Structures are given as C-alpha cells and as structure tokens.
Amino acid sequence: IYVAVDELWPGGEDLVARRLAACSPGDDELGRLIHSFPEHAMLIDLETCGLAGAPLFLIGTLRTIGGRLTVELLLARDYSEEGAVLTTLWQQMSDETVLATYNGKSFDWPMIADRTARHLLFVGGRPPTPLHVDLLHHARRRWKQTLPNCKLQTLETQICGRRRSGDLPGAEIPAAYERYVRTGRTTEIDAILMHNAIDLITLLDVAVRLA
C-alpha cells in the first residue's frame, strides 16, 4: 500500500524540503540522517502481535519512491505472510540506507532481527547493515525538561501541533489484528494502517524539527 506524504500531511513534503534546506547538519548520526535525505533515508515503524517473540504483521516505511516522499505499508494479511513482509523490507535496504525509528533500538530493530532469524532469511549470507538513528534519544535530550514525557504522540500534540481523531490505541492493535485474520473484516485493519502511517508522518516531522 503506497500513500504520498502530501496526502497524509498536505504541504508536508514542501515544508520538509524547505526546513532541510535551512539546516546546517553536523557529522553526528542525526546529521548523517539529514544528509541522507531524500535518496537513502528510510523511516520505519512496526505493528506487532505483542512484545518480544511475537510475530510482526505490519512494517511501515517512509522513503523516497519515484522522486516523492511516500509511506509504504507492508501488511501480512495473515500470519503466514510475515516472512514475505520481512523479505520485502530487506530488499529495499542497502548498506547506504540510514534508518530512523522511535525507540527502535530497543524494540523495532531487535524485533526485525529476531523474526528475520526465525524465517532463516540470510542463512549463509549477510543482511544489510544500515546506520540506525533512534530519534527517541535525541528527543529526550531536546525536550525532556519541557514535556511530561517523550512518547511519540506527546511530541505530535505538544511539538508538532497536531491531534488525531478516531485513532486506534496501540494497546488494542494486537487484538484488532487477530480479529481481522479471523473474520476478514477490514474496518479495524484500516484503522491500524492509518495509525501506522500517521506515526511515520510524525516521525518525519520530529526528525526535521530536531535537525
């Protein structure tokens, strides 16, 4: 599933370009992330069936596709498609990719590595080794003294100035996916896809503000 950033965040792509043009990024990992835009940057957010050890069923990415910033949602329509979702993700990465996540060094990337190993995707080979920038740590350094917490949705409201309506809470997502697999009803899965896509838009906004 592909959605242009401008469809989710009207004017967002132009705003990002203008903000980046005004940046003077350094040589730290945040600076390297900014230097990687637009060709080599990839923002990632997962939706899973639970904590460590549980399957993942959705990998959302935000990257440049066809010259446009685009959200791509890789959805496993049932549990058997997890391996295909992971394979597709790895095909989009290279050693030149610079990843950005939010709390990804503690959760998203270990989850991807664990599920990749379970599906034996790189037996006898080596996966790409992209630079990984976890924006949670940068956000804490910037805003921990002024915000009640540094959760992504707190930054969305307090820093980015946006509020969601009708959002499916993250704690309800595993059960909602289980119902989708069991019944085939798409109402809740549509809400999950939107939740993930907006998380990626917020991640992009936060990355540029940090820069």
Side-chain angles (χ1 to χ4, degrees):
I1 301 170
Y2 300 92
V3 186
V5 162
D6 275 349
E7 291 186 34
L8 297 162
W9 183 18
E13 185 168 11
D14 180 63
L15 179 61
V16 166
R18 286 189 284 109
R19 286 177 173 170
L20 291 179
C23 285
S24 298
D27 293 327
D28 60 356
E29 64 172 19
L30 186 59
R32 291 174 67 186
L33 172 64
I34 299 307
H35 280 302
S36 74
F37 273 91
E39 290 86 2
H40 299 299
M42 178 185 288
L43 283 60
I44 290 182
D45 186 54
L46 305 184
E47 305 299 340
T48 74
C49 298
L51 299 176
L56 61 85
F57 67 86
L58 174 61
I59 302 177
T61 71
L62 195 161
R63 60 194 179 96
T64 298
I65 301 175
R68 299 294 305 277
L69 285 177
T70 303
V71 170
E72 182 180 17
L73 303 174
L74 306 174
L75 173 67
R77 293 165 294 183
D78 57 50
Y79 301 104
S80 70
E81 292 189 342
E82 181 189 36
V85 166
L86 287 161
T87 297
T88 302
L89 174 69
W90 285 112
Q91 289 171 345
Q92 296 169 355
M93 273 193 273
S94 72
D95 290 341
E96 295 182 351
T97 301
V98 180
L99 297 180
T101 63
Y102 206 79
N103 197 35
K105 288 187 177 179
S106 296
F107 182 74
D108 298 70
W109 196 247
M111 173 73 78
I112 288 170
D114 175 67
R115 302 311 296 179
T116 294
R118 286 174 182 263
H119 287 281
L120 306 176
L121 296 186
F122 287 97
V123 174
R126 182 186 69 84
T129 55
L131 174 68
H132 180 184
V133 182
D134 189 335
L135 293 175
L136 172 62
H137 306 300
H138 296 276
R140 282 175 173 164
R141 284 194 288 270
R142 179 74 60 86
W143 293 305
K144 68 179 180 180
Q145 301 298 329
T146 58
L147 296 178
N149 59 64
C150 284
K151 294 178 181 178
L152 187 62
Q153 289 197 22
T154 301
L155 269 61
E156 187 175 281
T157 58
Q158 300 296 315
I159 302 298
C160 303
R162 293 192 304 273
R163 292 187 180 275
R164 305 188 193 194
S165 61
D167 186 51
L168 185 66
E172 298 179 15
I173 286 176
Y177 178 70
E178 191 277 330
R179 286 191 293 271
Y180 162 72
V181 172
R182 180 164 40 85
T183 68
R185 296 173 184 165
T186 60
T187 302
E188 287 184 306
I189 201 67
D190 289 343
I192 292 171
L193 293 170
M194 181 58 73
H195 174 95
N196 187 268
I198 297 302
D199 276 354
L200 286 164
I201 292 296
T202 301
L203 190 61
L204 174 63
D205 195 356
V206 167
V208 175
R209 289 173 184 271
L210 284 166

